[in-house]
Amino acid sequence: MIALGGALTALAFNVIHAEGWVDLEVYREGGAAVLQRTSIYDLSVGKYSLQFTYSPFAAMLFTPLALVDMEVAVALWVLISILALEVVIWIIVGRTAVRHRSRRATHTLLVVIAILPLYPVMTTLWNGQIGIILLLAIVVDLTHGKEKWRGIVTGIAAGIKLTPLIFIPYLLITRRFRAALMVGLGFLGTVILGFLLLPADSRDYWGGTFFDTQRVVTAPETVFFNQSIRGMLLLMPGSWPTMPLWLALCALVGTGGLLVAAWTAKKAGELAGITACAIVGLLVSPVSWPHHWVWCIPLLVLWAYRAQRVDATLEKVGVGFLWFIFLLPGYITLATLLIYPSHAGMWLTLLMGSYVLSGLSTLLVLAVHLGRSDWRQRKRGSGDD
């Protein structure tokens, strides 16, 4: 029932904004190219001339979409995405000590209602993106999967969209070497399957197409929505070489962030750790669109329950502020670019840059909080001695 209500909400949103499902259309055309034995990387879809930017393995997975009408594909995709959202939240709520089934169901419903209008979530539904489905796959794999196979689904997810590869160094730092190996094997399996079934497309993709950001950033105004460190640097005024600074910041944020994520997993649990790790991946990625930031879901829910548990007013205010960050700036930026494009400027950079600043702030706050917690424990232990 919740899934149907969410699907209707997303469909109503699409009626208001008649240009939705653009990414789902690209997925569908990629699947059709596989069936027709044509190059998936020569596609130019829709009035924006969008190109297929995922792996050949992903294109193979999208072939069922090409077998049904676009309207059917939209209905199925939205329903699956909403169900995935509900399951993710059900899992997170269960990890916050809400054990009673009816109470857990009520909490899940309330959280879904609060989360659904957030810009990363709604744009995922509106564009027909795969982000929530991958979020669910990774969360289930790394928190509920059998120890023997843990990591394999995350590796397959990386074979669809490369960003989950960030979990390999995270798992290595946390000394879960088998899980890191399974991620690598799952990913390698998708690459091998791609070369076996689509050799020409695989040579194109792994030969350099996967790193061509020009295929992703197709219009000048879309740069405002690139919510990564690189996206922020590219919008800074002046003419100066951004690549060296970006690489230096990636090394700093990547190394420090992964250490914080591992520390978080040790102190606050696996779900908090992988959420912090995913934020690191979003920050250092060359391109992170708002819909990639669906990892705000576990971030907000985990923090909200912690704020309630410790009854800290400042933390409750922080959760509310973070919720507004993921709600309003995206819609304001979109409205400005659609209605008043001449007003687009540095203020939009700062507005949408709130995602990047929130991610960096989250890692910093976690580091400070965990550091203080360790210091108090050491002080208490030395006092006992």
Side-chain angles (χ1 to χ4, degrees):
M1 191 67 182
I2 301 173
L4 292 176
L8 290 173
T9 302
L11 288 169
F13 187 83
N14 184 56
V15 170
I16 297 171
H17 302 274
E19 297 175 355
W21 321 118
V22 290
D23 290 322
L24 183 60
E25 186 178 2
V26 174
Y27 297 167
R28 190 166 172 271
E29 291 298 324
V34 172
L35 295 175
Q36 296 165 7
R37 296 293 180 178
T38 58
S39 173
I40 57 179
Y41 300 110
D42 289 338
L43 291 174
S44 182
V45 182
K47 73 174 187 177
Y48 298 110
S49 299
L50 298 178
Q51 297 175 298
F52 193 88
T53 59
Y54 291 2
S55 68
F57 174 74
M60 289 188 285
L61 291 184
F62 295 144
T63 52
L65 295 173
L67 301 176
V68 297
D69 293 337
M70 186 64 182
E71 292 78 9
V72 176
V74 166
L76 290 174
W77 196 262
V78 173
L79 183 61
I80 292 170
S81 296
I82 293 292
L83 286 171
L85 175 63
E86 293 172 10
V87 175
V88 164
I89 293 175
W90 172 267
I91 291 171
I92 300 170
V93 170
R95 287 294 175 118
T96 59
V98 180
R99 298 285 186 257
H100 193 275
R101 191 174 184 86
S102 62
R103 187 164 175 257
R104 187 176 178 183
T106 301
H107 281 229
T108 299
L109 172 60
L110 294 174
V111 173
V112 168
I113 292 171
I115 289 294
L116 192 59
L118 297 184
Y119 191 71
V121 176
M122 192 54 74
T123 51
T124 297
L125 298 173
W126 177 24
N127 292 325
Q129 260 286 338
I130 198 172
I132 297 175
I133 298 171
L134 294 183
L135 168 63
L136 173 62
I138 293 168
V139 167
V140 171
D141 181 40
L142 296 183
T143 64
H144 287 70
K146 290 185 178 180
E147 195 66 36
K148 181 179 180 181
W149 299 105
R150 188 165 296 178
I152 192 76
V153 174
T154 301
I156 294 172
I160 299 170
K161 203 166 190 173
L162 298 177
T163 47
L165 289 175
I166 191 69
F167 290 104
I168 292 180
Y170 164 77
L171 291 168
L172 290 174
I173 293 172
T174 55
R175 303 183 65 80
R176 280 169 294 174
F177 303 117
R178 181 182 178 84
L181 176 63
M182 295 306 291
V183 175
L185 290 176
F187 173 71
L188 183 60
T190 67
V191 176
I192 293 173
L193 188 61
F195 271 102
L196 289 175
L197 300 180
L198 299 173
D201 288 320
S202 294
R203 285 193 296 269
D204 288 344
Y205 185 75
W206 298 111
T209 298
F210 76 97
F211 202 67
D212 183 5
T213 56
Q214 297 300 316
R215 294 177 59 87
V216 182
V217 184
T218 56
E221 62 272 14
T222 59
V223 296
F224 286 103
F225 292 98
N226 183 4
Q227 291 306 291
S228 67
I229 293 173
R230 182 173 181 268
M232 289 291 292
L233 292 176
L234 290 174
L235 284 172
M236 293 298 176
S239 178
W240 49 289
T242 59
M243 184 62 72
L245 180 57
W246 174 58
L247 293 175
L249 287 174
C250 281
L252 177 63
V253 174
T255 303
L258 286 172
L259 291 174
V260 170
W263 199 4
T264 301
K266 181 179 179 181
K267 296 293 183 179
E270 186 62 70
L271 188 53
I274 65 174
T275 300
C277 175
I279 290 173
V280 175
L282 292 168
L283 292 171
V284 302
S285 175
V287 179
S288 292
W289 298 129
H291 54 73
H292 294 167
W293 281 84
V294 289
W295 283 93
C296 70
I297 298 169
L299 174 61
L300 281 165
V301 178
L302 289 173
W303 191 14
Y305 275 96
R306 174 193 149 74
Q308 182 185 37
R309 185 177 68 253
V310 301
D311 196 23
T313 302
L314 184 60
E315 291 199 30
K316 291 178 181 178
V317 171
V319 173
F321 182 69
L322 190 63
W323 184 82
F324 272 107
I325 284 176
F326 286 110
L327 176 71
L328 291 179
Y331 291 115
I332 294 173
T333 302
L334 180 63
T336 301
L337 291 172
L338 291 177
I339 303 171
Y340 302 109
S342 60
H343 288 66
M346 191 62 188
W347 80 278
L348 281 188
T349 303
L350 297 174
L351 188 66
M352 280 304 291
S354 57
Y355 286 28
V356 176
L357 296 177
S358 295
L360 292 171
S361 299
T362 297
L363 297 175
L364 181 60
V365 168
L366 282 172
V368 172
H369 171 73
L370 294 172
R372 285 180 176 176
S373 178
D374 275 2
W375 179 78
R376 290 194 190 102
Q377 287 180 357
R378 287 195 299 269
K379 186 177 180 181
R380 194 179 303 119
S382 62
D384 292 340
D385 294 339

